[in-house]
Amino acid sequence: METTYAAEGDYDTGSVRFGQTRGDETVFELIPDDHPTETIAGNIIAPAGSSVVKVVLRNVPSSNGAADRVTYFCRFEDDTEA
């Protein structure tokens, strides 16, 4: 996944530690490459039968205070051509 939030610094790439999956939701922690002392909690929500995957980064630092970042991705079956 590649998203860009350059105005607020790069908190969207780094090392990921995946947690439990319950139903359609998986929790994770992101340690950003550019801010290795920070840990960002997040969720991946991928409902069965849906072509949309929602990724939420929680309480990401910004100039206006911490905020959630929500990004949506399309997922395709293995035999689908993009």
Side-chain angles (χ1 to χ4, degrees), residues 32 38 52 65-66 76 80:
E38 298 278 342
V52 177
F76 301 93
T80 303

Side-chain angles (χ1 to χ4, degrees), residues 4 27-28 44 66:
T4 302
V27 296
F28 67 91
I44 299 170

Side-chain angles (χ1 to χ4, degrees), residues 57-71:
L57 299 178
R58 305 225 179 261
N59 298 312
V60 178
S62 75
S63 58
N64 293 326
D68 291 353
R69 291 185 180 162
V70 180
T71 307

Side-chain angles (χ1 to χ4, degrees), residues 2-81:
E2 290 189 28
T3 56
T4 302
Y5 301 98
E8 268 128 45
D10 294 323
Y11 287 94
D12 56 335
T13 60
S15 300
V16 176
R17 292 187 299 239
F18 289 100
Q20 289 187 325
T21 298
R22 291 187 179 170
D24 298 333
E25 190 167 337
T26 301
V27 296
F28 67 91
E29 292 181 328
L30 170 68
I31 296 107
D33 290 335
D34 290 348
H35 305 276
T37 60
E38 298 278 342
T39 299
I40 307 294
N43 302 74
I44 299 170
I45 303 154
S50 174
S51 61
V52 177
V53 175
K54 180 179 175 181
V55 177
V56 182
L57 299 178
R58 305 225 179 261
N59 298 312
V60 178
S62 75
S63 58
N64 293 326
D68 291 353
R69 291 185 180 162
V70 180
T71 307
Y72 297 89
F73 296 91
C74 292
R75 72 175 160 194
F76 301 93
E77 299 297 324
D78 290 340
D79 60 348
T80 303
E81 291 185 32

